[in-house]
Amino acid sequence: MAGTTAEESELMYMNSLEQIDLKALMFQTGYLTIKGYSKVSQHYQLGFPNQEVQEAFTKSLIKHFVPINTTVEVESKVALAKYDLASFFDQMHTYLARFPYQLFINVQERTYHGFLLGIMSGMGLEVAAESPSSLGRVDLLVQLPTTTYVMELKLDGHAKKALNQIRERQYYVPYLKKGKEVALVGLNFSSEKRHTVEWVGERLDEQGALT
């Protein structure tokens, strides 16, 4: 929903709750706020007020559309612990497919950040978005007992480019020498297909050497 546009008449429509547009409902309830205005198209650009509101909204969507049962939660944790990324992202693909397509209109990269963050949180994983360090911000950081996952996401780009960004900017360095392996994962999402279309990864030992 972030980045979507609407005319003033759309935002202020409130004649019928059954017919109200989703954008108007979210604007009138405070989930979306005005970020800009185009005099040419006479459309307002909408976005979430802050990251906390976006995360809260995403979690509520996940609770409604993609309830996660205990079996899936355990299987996903085991897949990550075993570095079975194929199984893990197959599960992510299944969950993303359950969201209504309207949520992907004018989608931006951070929308997928929010969806993955919400799904992983729902699985009981210890996950953080845009975790900062002196070397930059990690898109997604997942902490397991024996492995730390450093993930970089791209939209309509290349997974290899995302992985190279992790390497070149050394996002993984703060998590070395902590008694854990560090897994670097580059992801690419397709705005057309609305799910993960490509991922690449590699594992480092706690000293930073490839395993």
Side-chain angles (χ1 to χ4, degrees):
M1 296 299 296
T4 192
T5 61
E7 297 178 338
E8 182 177 0
S9 59
E10 292 180 276
L11 295 180
M12 302 312 297
Y13 180 87
M14 53 190 307
N15 293 336
S16 170
L17 184 60
E18 289 76 17
Q19 297 177 4
I20 191 170
D21 185 82
L22 178 60
K23 291 178 289 188
L25 179 62
M26 291 182 63
F27 175 72
Q28 293 178 27
T29 55
Y31 275 109
L32 290 179
T33 188
I34 293 172
K35 294 292 187 178
Y37 178 73
S38 170
K39 293 182 179 180
V40 177
S41 65
Q42 296 186 337
H43 277 67
Y44 290 95
Q45 182 179 0
L46 306 175
F48 292 101
N50 52 55
Q51 186 173 334
E52 289 74 17
V53 171
Q54 181 174 359
E55 290 178 5
F57 176 69
T58 302
K59 288 179 180 178
S60 68
L61 286 177
I62 289 168
K63 184 177 180 180
H64 181 75
F65 290 108
V66 289
I68 298 169
N69 60 50
T70 304
T71 300
V72 171
E73 179 181 329
V74 171
E75 289 176 349
S76 298
K77 289 179 178 178
V78 170
L80 281 183
K82 292 182 176 180
Y83 193 68
D84 183 1
L85 297 183
S87 296
F88 181 77
F89 287 117
D90 279 348
Q91 195 66 256
M92 292 297 103
H93 182 179
T94 299
Y95 279 123
L96 286 170
R98 295 180 185 174
F99 288 106
Y101 76 91
Q102 292 94 331
L103 296 177
F104 294 92
I105 296 174
N106 296 321
V107 72
Q108 297 181 6
E109 190 174 295
R110 63 175 176 267
T111 304
Y112 287 98
H113 291 194
F115 284 152
L116 280 191
L117 176 66
I119 293 171
M120 290 181 182
S121 295
M123 290 175 170
L125 291 166
E126 184 181 340
V127 56
E130 298 188 346
S131 183
S133 75
S134 61
L135 298 171
R137 290 180 179 269
V138 176
D139 280 348
L140 286 175
L141 184 73
V142 185
Q143 295 282 6
L144 297 177
T146 59
T147 308
T148 296
Y149 277 85
V150 177
M151 298 185 178
E152 179 70 22
L153 284 63
K154 297 297 180 186
L155 179 62
D156 297 327
H158 300 282
K160 191 170 182 179
K161 182 177 180 180
L163 179 61
N164 286 339
Q165 182 173 325
I166 298 173
R167 291 186 190 128
E168 291 169 3
R169 300 187 183 180
Q170 297 185 317
Y171 292 158
Y172 59 90
V173 170
Y175 312 103
L176 298 176
K177 300 179 181 179
K178 295 182 180 294
K180 295 183 181 184
E181 284 190 336
V182 179
L184 317 182
V185 181
L187 302 173
N188 180 49
F189 289 90
S190 166
S191 58
E192 179 182 359
K193 296 182 179 180
R194 301 190 290 274
H195 63 77
T196 316
V197 293
E198 182 188 17
W199 58 265
V200 292
E202 61 187 29
R203 286 189 292 177
L204 309 178
D205 64 22
E206 65 171 313
Q207 302 300 321
L210 284 169
T211 63

